């Protein structure tokens, strides 16, 4: 009774004693409860860590040992397994055949023996394709991992790790925690009376500030003008709030900068989800490239964005590269291609598209891309090609392209058993025009001559400027009959001859008058088929026939048979 009265008097008569005893009991209870939770969490984590290590070692041995098993190199397999001997907590690791024979082990004296214990027999009979935890005990974890290659089971890997270190760590943790709990209770009892009068006021102020900040008043600060821990905490909280506010400003500035770059860069940045086939992001610069807004572009499919030819190529490339990416082939998965993009107005632009295969935060396979307009580069390439194969003045094929097409015609004669004709022509009255009016007049005449010759032949025929005032015409696929082919070729030659003989009206730049000029041509023609000589020989014969036409008085057609000339 006296003890109970004493406790009641001790508890009731002093707020400081109540605070001290209440804090002591509460702190001890909380620390013991929290310590138990921490202990269980640490135990679970340490045990799981040992299990994960065992699984990792088993998987590593399974993957690394597959090639040794396939090569039947047990020595190399043993060296691989023996490398795990010095691993901490390792009790045993060994490689089993499908029949249970120990092929390699960290204990070499086990090699060659068969495992017969019930756990091993159950493991060997299992058709599992992933790890098996055979034993999960207080002091031991035993993990098995199948060795599979191309669907065939090559054996099993077993790894046994002890948990001695984990248990020792838990025991030390328990001792440290009990010591800490007792010390904490003592300190709480000592400081409880001192803090009784001041702590509540300071904490209430901090709670008030926290509530205001939570409501969005991020300009409020919590410094209470004290030098104790509450004052220090308040000032640290103020600095933390200042730092958070500064970081928010920096983040907004950074977002604004990158948004400005994405909005104003000429290249189009985009992200395409290959699993749901939707655009996850398209930069606003798409408007400059295609004329579509971001929303309109995201509503369109990739097929609608590309021409049909480019879409076929893109489909094949995405399929091939997706397989490479999913196959985990060592590759940077970055590619560059040229595609035709359809614009809103129906026009088509060439774009260089750089893509990178990766996964988003949800694990879905996506395509990161940058599209750049290369239409001007394509035009430049086309101009370079024209300079290489076409005459700059008349836009007719030049000598290089003529010889290339000549070879195709020769091949066609051999394939179709038809005749073809080669006309070599030279203008008869060209030099006086140049001498009197200059080269500009001569250029205008050559351009008009090219147009008239082209108007006299078919699209399948070739008209080329051979050089100077010399032109060459190849009549392709005439007839299988020699006489009919000769008649056809002669008709075309006469048509060209009459067309070129018509007067030319040349409007010279800077000259108010139109110059009228008459100019004829001398044409040498050679008929040939699959039995004819080479291209060089046929050109020589046609040139020779042309000079015969000049000797006969010009403005004529002279015909040679290539077969007779051989």
């Amino acid at each position: 009774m006296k003890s109970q009265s004493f406790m009641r008097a001790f508890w009731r008569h002093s707020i400081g004693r109540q605070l001290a005893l209440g804090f002591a009991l509460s702190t001890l209870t909380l620390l013991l409860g929290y310590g138990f939770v921490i202990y269980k969490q640490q135990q679970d984590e340490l045990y799981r860590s040992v299990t994960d290590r065992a699984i990792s070692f088993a998987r590593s041995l399974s993957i690394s040992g597959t090639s040794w098993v396939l090569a039947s190199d047990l020595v190399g397999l043993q060296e691989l397994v023996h490398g795990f001997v010095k691993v901490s907590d390792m009790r045993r690791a060994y490689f089993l055949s499908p029949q249970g024979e120990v092929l390699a082990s960290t204990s070499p004296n086990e090699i060659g023996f068969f495992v017969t214990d019930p756990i091993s027999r159950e493991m060997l009979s299992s058709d599992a394709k992933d790890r098996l935890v055979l034993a999960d005990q207080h002091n031991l974890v035993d993990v098995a991992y199948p060795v599979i290659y191309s669907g065939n089971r090559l054996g099993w890997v077993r790894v046994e790790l002890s948990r001695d270190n984990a248990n020792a760590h838990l025991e030390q943790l328990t001792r440290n925690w009990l010591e800490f709990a007792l010390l904490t209770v003592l300190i709480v009892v000592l400081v409880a009376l001192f803090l009784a009068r001041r702590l509540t006021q300071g904490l209430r102020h901090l709670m008030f500030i926290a509530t205001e900040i939570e409501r969005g008043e991020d300009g409020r600060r919590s410094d209470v003008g004290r030098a104790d821990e509450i004052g220090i905490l308040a000032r640290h909280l103020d600095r933390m709030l200042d730092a958070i506010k500064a970081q928010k400003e920096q983040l907004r500035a950074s977002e604004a900068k990158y948004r400005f770059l994405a909005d104003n860069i000429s290249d189009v940045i985009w992200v395409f989800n290959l699993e749901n086939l939707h655009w996850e992001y398209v930069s606003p610069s798409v408007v400059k490239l295609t004329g579509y807004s971001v929303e309109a572009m995201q509503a369109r499919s990739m097929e609608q964005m590309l021409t049909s030819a480019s879409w076929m190529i893109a489909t094949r490339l995405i399929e091939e590269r997706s397989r490479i990416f999913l196959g985990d082939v060592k590759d940077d998965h970055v590619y560059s291609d040229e595609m035709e993009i359809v614009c809103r107005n129906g026009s088509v632009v060439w774009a260089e598209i750089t893509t990178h295969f990766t996964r988003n935060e949800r694990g879905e396979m996506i395509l990161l891309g940058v599209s750049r307009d290369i239409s001007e580069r394509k035009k430049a390439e086309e101009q370079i090609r024209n300079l290489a194969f076409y005459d700059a003045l008349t836009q007719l094929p030049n000598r290089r392209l003529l010889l290339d097409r000549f070879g195709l015609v020769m091949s066609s004669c051999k394939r179709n058993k038809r005749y073809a004709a080669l006309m070599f022509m030279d203008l008869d009255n060209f030099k006086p025009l140049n001498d009197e009016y200059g080269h500009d007049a001569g250029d205008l005449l050559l351009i008009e001559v090219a147009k008239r010759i082209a108007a006299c032949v078919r699209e399948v025929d070739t008209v080329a400027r051979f050089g100077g005032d010399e032109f060459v015409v190849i009549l392709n696929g005439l007839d299988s009959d020699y006489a009919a082919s000769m008649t056809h070729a002669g008709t075309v030659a006469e048509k060209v001859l009459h067309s070129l003989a018509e007067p030319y009206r040349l409007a010279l730049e800077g000259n108010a008058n139109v110059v009228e000029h008459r100019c004829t041509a001398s044409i040498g023609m050679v008929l040939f088929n699959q039995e004819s000589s080479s291209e060089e020989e046929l050109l020589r014969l046609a040139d020779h026939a042309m000079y015969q036409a000049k000797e006969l008085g010009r403005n004529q057609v002279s015909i040679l048979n290539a077969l007779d000339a051989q």
Side-chain angles (χ1 to χ4, degrees), residues 91-354:
R91 285 194 178 181
R92 183 170 61 170
Y94 51 104
F95 206 109
L96 298 174
S97 69
Q99 294 75 31
E101 181 184 4
V102 179
L103 302 179
S105 174
T106 52
S107 301
N109 57 347
E110 295 179 343
I111 298 175
F113 290 93
F114 288 80
V115 293
T116 58
D117 57 283
I119 293 179
S120 298
R121 289 199 302 271
E122 183 178 355
M123 176 197 70
L124 293 173
S125 63
S126 173
D127 59 352
K129 300 186 181 301
D130 201 352
R131 65 178 185 270
L132 294 176
V133 179
L134 304 180
D136 189 0
Q137 302 171 355
H138 177 71
N139 293 320
L140 175 70
V141 61
D142 187 355
V143 173
Y145 207 96
V147 183
I148 299 175
Y149 180 77
S150 298
N152 298 321
R153 191 182 301 280
L154 305 180
W156 289 86
V157 171
R158 285 185 65 178
V159 173
E160 297 178 3
L161 292 183
S162 73
R163 286 173 169 161
D164 295 338
N165 289 336
N167 291 326
H169 179 78
L170 290 173
E171 293 174 1
Q172 182 63 39
L173 178 65
T174 301
R175 289 192 296 270
N176 293 343
W177 183 253
L178 290 175
E179 294 173 358
F180 173 77
L182 293 175
L183 180 61
T184 301
V185 171
L186 178 60
I187 294 174
V188 168
V189 170
L190 293 176
V191 301
L193 294 175
F194 178 76
L195 295 176
R197 293 176 296 177
R198 306 183 72 237
L199 184 60
T200 305
Q201 182 180 0
L203 290 177
R204 285 179 179 176
H205 178 73
L206 293 179
M207 291 172 60
F208 171 76
I209 295 299
T211 302
E212 291 296 304
I213 292 174
E214 185 179 359
R215 292 175 179 175
E217 297 291 335
D218 56 356
R220 298 297 297 269
R221 293 298 178 262
S222 59
D223 191 357
V224 293
R226 296 171 54 166
D228 58 8
E229 287 83 355
I230 293 181
I232 295 174
L233 176 61
R235 286 187 288 276
H236 278 291
L237 181 59
D238 288 345
R239 286 195 289 270
M240 181 186 70
L241 293 174
D242 292 338
I244 292 175
K245 185 175 182 180
Q247 290 175 357
K248 287 182 178 179
E249 293 296 330
Q250 292 177 358
L251 182 59
R252 281 194 289 267
S254 178
E255 290 177 349
K257 178 179 67 176
Y258 286 109
R259 187 179 297 110
F260 175 80
L261 291 175
D263 291 352
N264 294 277
I265 192 173
S266 59
D267 295 347
V268 180
I269 304 171
W270 49 268
V271 180
F272 186 76
N273 192 308
L274 292 173
E275 297 191 15
N276 59 31
L277 302 180
H278 287 120
W279 302 96
E280 293 190 356
Y281 173 77
V282 178
S283 64
S285 51
V286 72
V287 178
K288 299 177 183 178
L289 181 64
T290 66
Y292 287 103
S293 65
V294 173
E295 294 75 14
M297 179 57 69
Q298 289 181 322
R300 294 171 62 83
S301 65
M302 184 177 288
E303 181 179 2
Q304 293 173 318
M305 187 188 74
L306 301 173
T307 63
S308 57
S310 293
W311 169 243
M312 293 178 60
I313 297 173
T315 303
R316 175 178 56 82
L317 293 177
I318 291 175
E319 182 179 352
E320 293 175 356
R321 294 166 182 175
S322 296
R323 286 199 299 268
I324 294 174
F325 177 77
L326 294 175
D328 199 23
V329 177
K330 290 184 178 179
D331 192 297
D332 57 7
H333 308 295
V334 177
Y335 307 93
S336 182
D337 307 287
E338 293 181 358
M339 301 284 178
E340 288 183 293
I341 297 178
V342 180
C343 298
R344 183 176 182 179
N345 60 8
S347 63
V348 174
V349 296
W350 275 99
E352 181 183 63
I353 302 178
T354 302

Side-chain angles (χ1 to χ4, degrees), residues 345-510:
N345 60 8
S347 63
V348 174
V349 296
W350 275 99
E352 181 183 63
I353 302 178
T354 302
T355 54
H356 172 58
F357 286 76
T358 185
R359 292 187 183 276
N360 60 15
E361 65 280 359
R362 298 183 297 276
E364 299 169 333
M365 186 167 62
I366 61 174
L367 196 60
L368 305 178
V370 177
S371 300
R372 172 174 296 176
D373 187 354
I374 58 170
S375 300
E376 294 301 323
R377 190 178 80 189
K378 280 291 186 179
K379 290 179 181 179
E381 291 175 355
E382 181 65 20
Q383 291 175 354
I384 293 173
R385 191 185 73 85
N386 287 337
L387 291 175
F389 294 100
Y390 290 87
D391 176 55
L393 178 63
T394 63
Q395 298 302 309
L396 294 177
N398 58 18
R399 183 180 302 200
R400 182 178 179 181
L401 184 55
L402 170 69
L403 294 176
D404 181 67
R405 292 188 179 179
F406 205 167
L408 296 177
V409 172
M410 295 286 287
S411 300
S412 177
C413 289
K414 294 178 182 179
R415 184 173 59 255
N416 300 326
K417 310 299 182 183
R418 289 174 174 267
Y419 284 90
L422 173 66
M423 291 192 294
F424 199 110
M425 60 189 70
D426 182 82
L427 301 182
D428 294 329
N429 192 26
F430 178 70
K431 189 174 182 301
L433 178 67
N434 268 345
D435 294 342
E436 183 174 355
Y437 296 102
H439 290 287
D440 290 343
D443 291 344
L444 291 176
L445 179 65
L446 292 175
I447 293 172
E448 181 62 24
V449 167
K451 292 179 180 178
R452 293 187 184 186
I453 297 174
C456 296
V457 299
R458 304 164 299 176
E459 290 186 1
V460 296
D461 300 326
T462 297
V463 180
R465 183 185 178 192
F466 201 70
D469 61 343
E470 295 177 334
F471 295 84
V472 173
V473 176
I474 301 177
L475 303 178
N476 185 28
L478 295 177
D479 200 286
S480 57
D481 180 68
Y482 175 81
S485 300
M486 181 63 74
T487 301
H488 185 175
T491 301
V492 174
E494 290 295 333
K495 183 178 179 181
V496 172
L497 201 67
H498 292 152
S499 177
L500 297 182
E502 293 293 328
Y504 297 87
R505 296 177 60 82
L506 308 175
L508 299 180
E509 186 175 352

